[in-house]
Amino acid sequence: MASNTSPICKNVSCHAWNADGSRLALCPGDKSIQVFGYDGKAFTFLTRLDAHDSIVSALDWHPVTNLLVSCSHDRNAFVWTEKSPNDFEKKLCILQNNRAATCVKWSPDGKKFAVGCGSRQVSVCSFDEEENWWVPKVFRAHKSTVLAVSWHPNSTILATCSSDGLCSVFSAYIKEVDGPADGRPAF
């Protein structure tokens, strides 16, 4: 198997592939996101996404909804919808924290995403159709910066780890988003 070690960008702070591997989003160590097309042989620059005011710290591309989420040291998250290869629409999520956002992950069902923050909290964000933006529900789970978040396959249980050396597991169930709790594992 041949490997391509030619850099497409220097100083990458985070990256995410879309489901079929035809797109790669990455942050070149600043407040922008660059999106590349990939045909299995070569990368082609498609567009630059500019919305954050500080370095982008994490990206996640949902495999079913094809939505890209970004979070940043500016304490916000954006959800990006690809309208065409060179055109992405953004929607803001104000995370309601006073420190940098450090990590982000879509729930398996694509209805929510979780963002870990330097403020020791996790914001679980869902879309409000009426207001047309992403709304956070804040959980205080740690005594230090949240470094990683991971969803249970049922999209209602969330595991987080922090620089406090602990892993927290808690319910991220939101009735308005997840529907009736019948049949889901209790937590």
Side-chain angles (χ1 to χ4, degrees):
M1 175 181 200
S3 67
N4 180 355
T5 58
S6 300
I8 57 173
C9 184
K10 293 183 180 182
N11 303 319
V12 175
S13 59
C14 58
H15 67 281
W17 287 97
N18 71 345
D20 67 5
S22 64
R23 301 276 184 274
L24 175 65
L26 55 83
C27 172
D30 62 20
K31 61 184 183 175
S32 71
I33 301 164
Q34 295 181 4
V35 180
F36 292 85
Y38 183 64
D39 63 6
K41 296 178 184 163
F43 290 95
T44 305
F45 177 80
L46 298 177
T47 192
R48 178 183 166 122
L49 308 177
D50 289 303
H52 289 288
D53 294 330
S54 190
I55 189 169
V56 175
S57 49
L59 298 166
D60 193 31
W61 214 319
H62 194 273
V64 177
T65 65
N66 201 38
L67 296 174
L68 175 66
V69 63
S70 61
C71 69
S72 166
H73 290 196
D74 67 9
R75 305 179 313 267
N76 293 316
F78 283 94
V79 175
W80 304 86
T81 305
E82 186 175 11
K83 299 296 185 183
S84 70
N86 297 329
D87 183 29
F88 283 74
E89 176 185 86
K90 67 180 181 275
K91 292 203 186 296
L92 173 66
C93 181
I94 299 172
L95 299 173
Q96 300 177 354
N97 71 78
N98 59 4
R99 298 279 192 277
T102 56
C103 54
V104 65
K105 187 73 176 165
W106 281 107
S107 63
D109 65 9
K111 294 179 184 177
K112 301 178 286 192
F113 60 89
V115 181
C117 300
S119 57
R120 307 176 314 236
Q121 71 187 33
V122 176
S123 296
V124 176
C125 308
S126 59
F127 191 70
D128 183 330
E129 295 282 345
E130 190 174 303
E131 298 296 326
N132 195 32
W133 72 306
W134 291 84
V135 180
K137 181 175 181 181
V138 177
F139 297 88
R140 299 212 186 325
H142 291 281
K143 294 181 181 178
S144 191
T145 301
V146 178
L147 300 173
V149 294
S150 182
W151 289 93
H152 183 277
N154 73 7
S155 295
T156 62
I157 299 172
L158 189 64
T160 62
C161 71
S162 165
S163 57
D164 62 12
L166 299 175
C167 176
S168 293
V169 180
F170 59 92
S171 173
Y173 170 77
I174 302 173
K175 183 178 182 180
E176 301 78 24
V177 176
D178 298 314
D182 301 338
R184 295 179 196 249
F187 193 81

